[in-house]
Amino acid sequence: MDTAPAMWQSQYVTAIQLAGFRQYKYIAVDTNPLSVYVMQPLWERIVKILPLWIAPNLLTITGFVIILIHYFVLSFYDWDYTAAGSSPELIPTWVWIFGAFSTFCAYALDSIDGKHARRTRSNTPLGELFDHGLDSWASSVITLSVFSILSRDNGKVGTSVSTMYLCLCVILLNFMLSHWEKYNTGILFLPWSYDISQVVIVGLYLVTAAFGVEVWHTPFIFGYYLTDTLIMLIIVCCIFLSLPQMLYNIHIAYRKQALLKDSLYEGLLPLFSPMLLFALLTIWVALSPCQILVKQTRLFLWMTGVLFSNVMGKQLSQHFNIYIFSLKKRIQE
């Protein structure tokens, strides 16, 4: 008789905790018309042709590795984010095509891994934690890759490094707030900005491959560049679209007395660590005597994404522990 599973359970997971894991249910709500009427039917068709022997986590990690490879390729050709502005021909066309391919693959695999897990009856809270942990990494990796299209400001065209940092912070904070919403409501309301951003990024890469980066560095209207429009679109979608939706969903849960937290302190607690992180990083940028963001743009932005992912990984694991603890109390009662 094999006693390894029993020993593993006794050492790391109690019987009550295991029962809590078995009762856990992932609840997500997606109201984005683009997702509901266009992308979801496509994902349903794709997942049906996947062999059942493929592990869902393999799909998750494959999508992340693909975009990570593309990020390193862009780092080789455009370490300082200056190639698109000063030497557009330095980045080969195939890199942009690969960017569109890798982004779409990661988008598709991230969308079907959960469906495949339910299809193979292998969906678990740990699989969800693994998926969302990699998503926290992917949020920064994809953003830092897109910055190679925008280019760094060279006095004529491009985007300032401070604007790049602001955009990255807004995107990562948007990710954090989405999971903070789930922490309070128990439901992951998928932001509209997610599907829209993935489709837009694929389009950006394809347009760049077809017409070159020069198309983004030509005045568009009233002296504004298309890059300025894209940046404004990112900020508007995150702040004026996603954030009001999150607050509204939390308000509705509060009115229905369906919030998982009993006090305002418990509800706001997960915001402390990420906000402290970004506050300290921003102070570093503002007061750095050597202008760290200017001199080491890629390394500083990469570090920001790594630290954020580390904080979010711990936050997500704590969320699961709290949820399992609440189930444990219900089971004991």
Side-chain angles (χ1 to χ4, degrees):
M1 180 178 178
D2 187 4
T3 60
M7 293 177 59
W8 179 83
Q9 291 179 14
S10 63
Q11 292 181 11
Y12 301 103
V13 181
T14 66
I16 294 179
Q17 287 176 324
L18 187 61
F21 271 104
R22 289 170 177 167
Q23 290 193 19
Y24 174 82
K25 292 183 179 180
Y26 172 65
I27 304 176
V29 175
D30 190 358
T31 59
N32 185 356
L34 173 63
S35 174
V36 174
Y37 298 108
V38 179
M39 306 313 299
Q40 289 299 332
L42 176 61
W43 307 145
E44 292 290 348
R45 292 187 179 184
I46 293 177
V47 76
K48 289 179 181 179
I49 65 177
L50 285 175
L52 295 177
W53 55 265
I54 295 180
N57 285 348
L58 179 61
L59 301 177
T60 306
I61 190 66
T62 299
F64 176 72
V65 169
I66 291 175
I67 61 171
L68 193 61
I69 291 173
H70 178 248
Y71 170 81
F72 287 134
V73 170
L74 275 173
S75 299
F76 174 77
Y77 285 104
D78 184 27
W79 176 259
D80 294 326
Y81 291 114
T82 57
S86 57
S87 303
E89 69 281 354
L90 184 61
I91 305 178
T93 301
W94 69 266
V95 175
W96 305 123
I97 297 176
F98 179 50
F101 171 79
S102 63
T103 302
F104 181 79
C105 284
Y107 177 31
L109 293 174
D110 184 50
S111 300
I112 67 176
D113 56 1
K115 299 180 185 296
H116 186 62
R118 291 185 287 274
R119 178 170 171 251
T120 57
R121 297 182 180 179
S122 56
N123 52 312
T124 65
L126 295 180
E128 181 186 341
L129 178 62
F130 180 69
D131 183 10
H132 293 168
L134 285 184
D135 286 343
S136 68
W137 270 84
S139 298
S140 61
V141 172
I142 293 176
T143 304
L144 298 184
S145 297
V146 172
F147 286 162
S148 286
I149 294 178
L150 303 181
S151 175
R152 183 172 171 173
D153 187 9
N154 60 9
K156 296 181 180 179
V157 296
T159 305
S160 67
V161 292
S162 58
T163 301
M164 291 182 178
Y165 173 69
L166 173 63
C167 287
L168 179 62
C169 290
V170 168
I171 291 170
L172 296 182
L173 286 172
N174 188 66
F175 179 90
M176 179 268 293
L177 288 173
S178 178
H179 287 274
W180 170 69
E181 177 186 23
K182 180 178 183 291
Y183 171 81
N184 282 282
T185 64
I187 302 173
L188 181 62
F189 294 90
L190 300 176
W192 282 27
S193 56
Y194 172 68
D195 291 277
I196 295 174
S197 65
Q198 297 304 297
V199 173
V200 168
I201 290 172
V202 172
L204 289 178
Y205 283 128
L206 292 177
V207 171
T208 305
F211 302 102
V213 293
E214 295 84 356
V215 69
W216 308 113
H217 303 146
T218 303
F220 177 57
I221 185 172
F222 302 125
Y224 289 96
Y225 296 85
L226 282 173
T227 52
D228 299 326
T229 305
L230 292 173
I231 291 171
M232 288 301 300
L233 180 63
I234 292 172
I235 295 176
V236 167
C237 285
C238 291
I239 297 180
F240 298 102
L241 181 61
S242 296
L243 182 58
Q245 285 182 320
M246 296 172 193
L247 297 177
Y248 175 76
N249 291 330
I250 292 176
H251 174 69
I252 293 298
Y254 171 76
R255 292 186 59 182
K256 294 181 178 180
Q257 297 183 341
L259 288 177
L260 300 180
K261 308 306 162 193
D262 298 327
S263 67
L264 181 64
Y265 170 77
E266 289 180 327
L268 296 178
L269 187 60
L271 299 179
F272 177 75
S273 295
M275 297 303 292
L276 178 62
L277 170 65
F278 285 110
L280 293 175
L281 289 174
T282 303
I283 292 173
W284 186 4
V285 169
L287 303 181
S288 173
C290 63
Q291 295 184 313
I292 183 67
L293 184 60
V294 175
K295 292 188 176 180
Q296 295 293 343
T297 304
R298 184 175 288 275
L299 286 180
F300 190 88
L301 295 178
W302 172 261
M303 179 196 66
T304 300
V306 170
L307 291 176
F308 172 80
S309 180
N310 181 269
V311 170
M312 279 305 303
K314 293 181 179 180
Q315 290 274 16
L316 292 172
S317 62
Q318 290 174 359
H319 294 178
F320 277 109
N321 287 336
I322 293 172
Y323 187 88
I324 296 303
F325 178 75
S326 66
L327 287 176
K328 175 182 175 181
K329 291 175 62 177
R330 295 175 190 175
I331 293 172
Q332 289 177 330
E333 292 172 356

